[in-house]
């Protein structure tokens, strides 16, 4: 298998598992978890925040491993954590074990993306790299859609959610084996040491990246954690049992998220600033729709579709952006951006859970929608660069 297809396939499978059911699974099955483990909205927010905090820790550990051991170690360790987390959730007898499984599963995402920037930079030609990175990021969409379809099938067949998580564990084990095999040779070489040229990461040219990344992390984590539950608590979608709504929501999210494969094409035609403006507007509209019309088919599907496109395209845009700003060490720049994503992700669900408990789901989502709207206004005033920060 050539470097392009080996890295693309390995990355696609890694992101499909870690950014699919591992990262989205808690929000997807929150209705069942509420019932079986007596979770309040505030407690659900805390568990989600715990998982996203694991993502933050995973990023830091992965970066250190990448510098010392190369991409194979952090990626396979992350997929192993996802597999173990899936199994724990499937067997969970109480909320404590559930939270531990969610933590392991969601932490896996921190291990399993940035290393592919380094691997791609080493073994894939410049002209092919955007296509490879787009395929890696698109794995998320397929993983989310498959998880949504799994949840919907389990509901329609009257089967336990535990069977779904057991299936996720088997798929995670397979993805681990594929990545351990494909991330060899030149792609497995260690990356740059973490303590070199760190001043680049706080260069003024990089500030807009961190603002976009933090906003993106906060908004996407809140939507992932509570949007499907918002629809279910509002009575579900007309003509469909409330318990089936989350599967539909995440299936639409994943299918429309496949548009992330077009990010490179849109970037070439719109340029980075206009692409980012459009993505912030998309995020605000997506969150606003689930706030105002959680029981309307068109609004819910549009919200899920826009959120899927926003998440996949923004992640790919951050990857392109950091790869160009930090051409000598792309994983370092991308890890810094992902740390900002993780910080927003860790803060968002806990705050949203308690705000929802105090003021209601509609008010919480409307407040969340204001964040990408403010980010859009700030971006319009900012200077967005794509040249290396050493220039």
């Amino acid at each position: 298998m050539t470097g392009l297809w080996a890295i693309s396939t390995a990355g696609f499978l890694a992101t499909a598992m870690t950014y699919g059911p591992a990262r989205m699974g808690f929000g997807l099955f929150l209705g069942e978890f509420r019932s079986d483990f007596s979770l309040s909205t505030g407690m659900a927010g805390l568990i989600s925040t715990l998982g996203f905090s694991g993502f933050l820790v995973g990023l830091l550990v992965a970066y250190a491993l990448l510098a010392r051991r190369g991409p194979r170690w952090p990626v396979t360790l992350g997929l192993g954590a996802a597999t173990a987390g899936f199994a724990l959730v499937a067997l969970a007898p109480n909320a404590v074990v559930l939270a531990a499984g969610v933590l392991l599963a969601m932490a896996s995402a921190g291990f399993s993306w940035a290393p592919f920037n380094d691997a791609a930079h080493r073994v894939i030609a410049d002209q092919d790299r955007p296509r490879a990175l787009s395929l890696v990021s698109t794995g998320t969409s397929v993983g989310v859609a498959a998880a949504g379809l799994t949840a919907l099938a389990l509901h329609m067949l009257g089967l336990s959610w535990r069977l779904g998580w057991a299936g996720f564990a088997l798929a995670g084990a397979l993805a681990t084996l594929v990545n351990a095999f494909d991330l060899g040779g030149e792609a497995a070489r260690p990356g740059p040491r973490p303590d070199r040229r760190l001043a680049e990461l706080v260069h003024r040219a990089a500030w807009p990246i961190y603002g976009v990344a933090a906003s993106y992390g906060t908004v996407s984590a809140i939507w992932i954690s509570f949007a499907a539950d918002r629809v279910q608590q509002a009575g579900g979608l007309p003509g469909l049992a409330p318990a089936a709504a989350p599967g539909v929501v995440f299936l639409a999210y994943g299918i429309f998220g496949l548009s992330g494969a077009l990010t490179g094409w849109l970037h070439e035609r719109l340029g980075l600033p206009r692409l980012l403006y459009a993505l912030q507007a998309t995020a605000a509209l997506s969150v606003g729709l689930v706030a105002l019309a959680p029981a309307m088919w068109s609004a819910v599907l549009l919200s899920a579709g826009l959120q899927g496109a926003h998440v996949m395209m923004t992640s790919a845009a951050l990857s392109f952006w950091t790869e160009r700003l930090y051409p000598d060490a792309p994983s370092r720049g991308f890890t810094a951006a992902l740390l900002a994503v993780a910080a927003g992700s860790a803060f968002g669900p806990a705050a949203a859970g308690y705000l929802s408990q105090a003021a209601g789901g509609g008010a919480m989502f409307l407040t969340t929608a204001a964040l990408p709207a403010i980010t859009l206004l700030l971006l319009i005033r900012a200077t967005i660069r794509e040249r290396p920060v050493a220039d």
Side-chain angles (χ1 to χ4, degrees):
M1 190 180 292
T2 66
L4 170 63
W5 292 111
I7 298 300
S8 298
T9 301
F12 180 90
L13 290 174
T15 55
M17 295 309 307
T18 60
Y19 282 82
R23 196 163 188 255
M24 314 288 184
F26 180 72
L28 174 59
F29 289 92
L30 180 53
E32 285 83 352
F33 296 154
R34 276 181 182 277
S35 174
D36 287 6
F37 300 107
S38 302
L39 298 182
S40 66
T41 302
M43 182 59 70
L46 283 176
I47 292 175
S48 187
T49 280
L50 179 67
F52 283 111
S53 298
F55 170 56
L56 176 60
V57 173
L59 285 170
L60 296 171
V61 175
Y63 185 54
L65 280 174
L66 178 65
R68 290 163 176 79
R69 299 287 187 173
R72 178 188 284 172
W73 277 72
V75 171
T76 53
L77 181 61
L79 285 166
T83 303
F86 293 146
L88 268 181
V89 172
L91 299 171
N94 53 50
V96 174
V97 178
L98 170 71
V102 170
L103 170 61
L104 272 176
M106 293 180 73
S108 69
F111 289 88
S112 305
W113 194 329
F116 287 101
N117 276 48
D118 256 29
H121 196 76
R122 293 193 195 109
V123 302
I124 298 176
D126 290 349
Q127 67 271 19
D128 293 328
R129 204 174 299 138
R131 179 164 51 132
L133 292 174
S134 289
L135 286 170
V136 170
S137 66
T138 302
T140 301
S141 299
V142 176
V144 175
L149 191 59
T150 298
L152 191 58
L154 290 172
H155 169 75
M156 295 182 70
L157 294 172
L159 300 175
S160 170
W161 57 267
R162 294 180 186 272
L163 288 176
W165 285 79
F168 297 155
L170 291 174
L174 176 61
T176 304
L177 292 175
V178 171
N179 273 266
F181 178 79
D182 281 355
L183 290 178
E186 179 67 14
R189 193 164 50 84
R193 290 290 176 180
D195 57 348
R196 297 167 69 181
R197 294 177 300 192
L198 293 181
E200 292 180 353
L201 300 181
V202 294
H203 192 286
R204 189 179 184 88
W207 292 1
I209 297 177
Y210 304 138
V212 170
S215 173
Y216 162 64
T218 304
V219 173
S220 64
I222 291 172
W223 197 98
I224 289 165
S225 300
F226 295 113
D229 187 60
R230 164 80 172 152
V231 175
Q232 190 170 353
Q233 294 295 314
L237 297 167
L240 198 66
V248 172
V249 168
F250 278 94
L251 180 60
Y253 179 111
I255 290 173
F256 282 93
L258 291 170
S259 61
L262 301 175
T263 311
W265 181 82
L266 289 172
H267 178 243
E268 290 176 2
R269 282 150 183 80
L270 298 178
L272 184 63
R274 283 188 290 177
L275 174 60
L276 291 171
Y277 301 158
L279 290 172
Q280 297 309 306
T282 296
L285 179 57
S286 168
V287 178
L289 284 168
V290 81
L292 298 173
M296 184 182 298
W297 271 97
S298 57
V300 169
L301 291 179
L302 184 58
S303 173
L306 290 174
Q307 187 65 204
H310 162 250
V311 167
M312 307 312 162
M313 288 192 177
T314 302
S315 60
L318 288 174
S319 178
F320 299 159
W321 196 358
T322 54
E323 200 269 342
R324 294 180 185 187
L325 276 179
Y326 306 105
D328 294 332
S331 69
R332 179 169 56 227
F334 192 45
T335 299
L338 287 179
L339 286 172
V341 173
S345 298
F347 163 79
Y354 282 105
L355 178 58
S356 181
Q357 246 178 225
M364 180 272 284
F365 274 107
L366 284 175
T367 302
T368 303
L371 183 56
I374 293 169
T375 304
L376 171 59
L377 295 177
L378 293 175
L379 269 180
I380 291 172
R381 298 183 59 185
T383 300
I384 298 174
R385 295 185 60 196
E386 294 183 85
R387 298 185 300 277
V389 296
D391 285 359

